[in-house]
């Protein structure tokens, strides 16, 4: 029959999660409540370190995602403002003179006639023409979704940092508890050794006293024998 493996903090999944399903790290107030012997210390520390690595991996991915959204949200906002401007300008009969950005510091003058549609860049070398109303609606929905996702990423980053800190504190408490238990055991062994040495000296002293009495008796017998010979 297979022996059941004792549960230690870190090998039991947490039931509490944040709205995106990231599990909550175990919080240790008293080490004695979760660890019964020093044999579980190494496994517990290893489990905590594995959890920290997983949280750090999630943190890195979330940071990359948030960085991409931070770049896309301003572009979406700018595209939406451009479409809204074209909607307003389409009501006039005069063309619009503007400057087109060719590079970071290079612009070219151009004329935009009144129009009812606009081309939106979808990525992957794909560009589609949309009516102004439809383009505005789509950009608004995408901007709102990106803004909400960015807010969720920032919330997750704060949450992940908190879980990493909780696990680091837990590891420190378990390590300090192990050091204290090791020191306590060494002191107990030292006390037991001193007590054993004291008992040994007491036994030796008693044995020496018995031999002294025997010598006195021997001297008395010898003196009596000498008198008889006289």
């Amino acid at each position: 029959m297979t022996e059941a493996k004792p549960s230690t903090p870190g090998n039991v999944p947490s039931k509490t999660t944040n709205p995106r399903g990231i599990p909550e790290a175990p919080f240790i107030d008293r080490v004695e409540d979760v660890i019964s012997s020093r044999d579980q210390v190494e496994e517990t520390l290893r489990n905590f370190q594995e959890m920290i690595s997983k949280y750090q991996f999630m943190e890195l991915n979330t940071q990359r995602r948030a960085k991409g959204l931070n770049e896309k949200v301003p572009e979406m906002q700018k595209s939406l403002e451009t479409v809204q401007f074209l909607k307003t300008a389409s009501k006039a009969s005069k063309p619009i003179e503007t400057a087109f950005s060719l590079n970071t510091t290079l612009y070219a003058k151009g004329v935009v006639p009144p129009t009812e549609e606009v081309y939106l860049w979808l990525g992957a070398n794909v560009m589609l023409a949309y009516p102004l109303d439809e383009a505005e609606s789509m950009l608004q929905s995408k901007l709102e979704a990106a803004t909400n996702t960015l807010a969720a990423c920032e919330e997750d980053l704060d949450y992940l940092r908190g879980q990493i800190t909780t696990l680091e504190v837990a590891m420190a408490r378990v390590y300090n508890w192990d050091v204290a238990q090791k020191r306590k055991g060494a002191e107990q062994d030292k006390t037991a050794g001193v007590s054993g040495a004291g008992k040994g000296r007491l036994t030796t002293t008693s044995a020496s006293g018995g031999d002294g009495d025997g010598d006195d008796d021997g001297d008395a017998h010898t003196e009596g024998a000498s008198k008889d010979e006289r």
Side-chain angles (χ1 to χ4, degrees):
M1 188 174 74
T2 304
E3 183 178 356
K5 183 179 180 181
S7 61
T8 57
N11 63 9
V12 179
S14 175
K15 297 181 180 179
T16 305
T17 62
N18 77 333
R20 262 72 58 189
I22 301 176
E24 182 180 9
F27 175 78
I28 295 182
D29 188 16
R30 294 180 69 255
V31 178
E32 294 82 357
D33 295 338
V34 293
I35 296 180
S36 57
S37 66
R38 291 187 60 202
D39 296 336
Q40 296 178 317
V41 170
E42 183 177 354
E43 181 182 1
T44 301
L45 292 177
R46 183 171 59 251
N47 291 333
F48 283 162
Q49 187 58 53
E50 290 177 358
M51 293 183 66
I52 289 177
S53 299
K54 292 178 181 179
Y55 281 125
Q56 290 175 338
F57 178 75
M58 288 186 284
E59 182 184 19
L60 180 61
N61 288 338
T62 306
Q63 286 176 344
R64 292 175 178 173
R65 190 177 184 185
K67 182 179 179 181
L69 290 171
N70 277 321
E71 296 174 354
K72 290 181 179 179
V73 167
E75 294 178 358
M76 292 181 181
Q77 183 66 40
K78 186 177 180 180
S79 298
L80 179 59
E81 291 174 355
T82 302
V83 171
Q84 290 173 344
F85 174 75
L86 290 175
K87 276 186 68 175
T88 303
S90 64
K91 299 177 182 179
S93 58
K94 295 181 180 181
I96 304 170
E97 292 184 1
T98 184
F100 292 93
S101 176
L102 302 180
N103 204 338
T104 306
T105 58
L106 182 61
Y107 292 85
K109 290 184 178 181
V111 177
V112 180
T115 181
E116 295 294 334
E117 65 179 11
V118 66
Y119 287 84
L120 296 181
W121 184 264
L122 303 181
N125 297 326
V126 176
M127 181 176 287
L128 293 179
Y130 288 88
L132 293 177
D133 293 337
E134 187 177 346
E136 181 182 15
S137 176
M138 186 185 70
L139 287 173
Q140 283 179 340
S141 63
K142 287 187 174 294
L143 178 61
E144 183 179 358
T147 303
N148 293 336
T149 303
L150 179 58
C153 287
E154 293 175 350
E155 182 181 344
D156 288 346
L157 285 174
D158 291 338
Y159 180 80
L160 287 169
R161 294 187 189 102
Q163 304 317 301
I164 292 174
T165 301
T166 299
L167 286 172
E168 289 174 346
V169 172
M171 287 185 67
R173 288 182 175 178
V174 172
Y175 179 80
N176 292 336
W177 180 86
D178 183 44
V179 171
Q181 293 299 312
K182 184 177 181 181
R183 186 178 303 167
K184 183 178 179 181
E187 291 177 354
Q188 290 177 350
D189 294 341
K190 183 178 180 180
T191 303
V194 172
S195 300
K199 292 180 179 179
R201 286 196 299 269
L202 180 60
T203 303
T204 303
T205 302
S206 300
S208 300
D211 292 341
D213 293 340
D215 291 342
D216 293 341
D217 293 341
D219 292 342
H221 288 302
T222 302
E223 184 178 358
S226 299
K227 289 180 180 181
D228 291 339
E229 290 177 357
R230 291 175 187 173

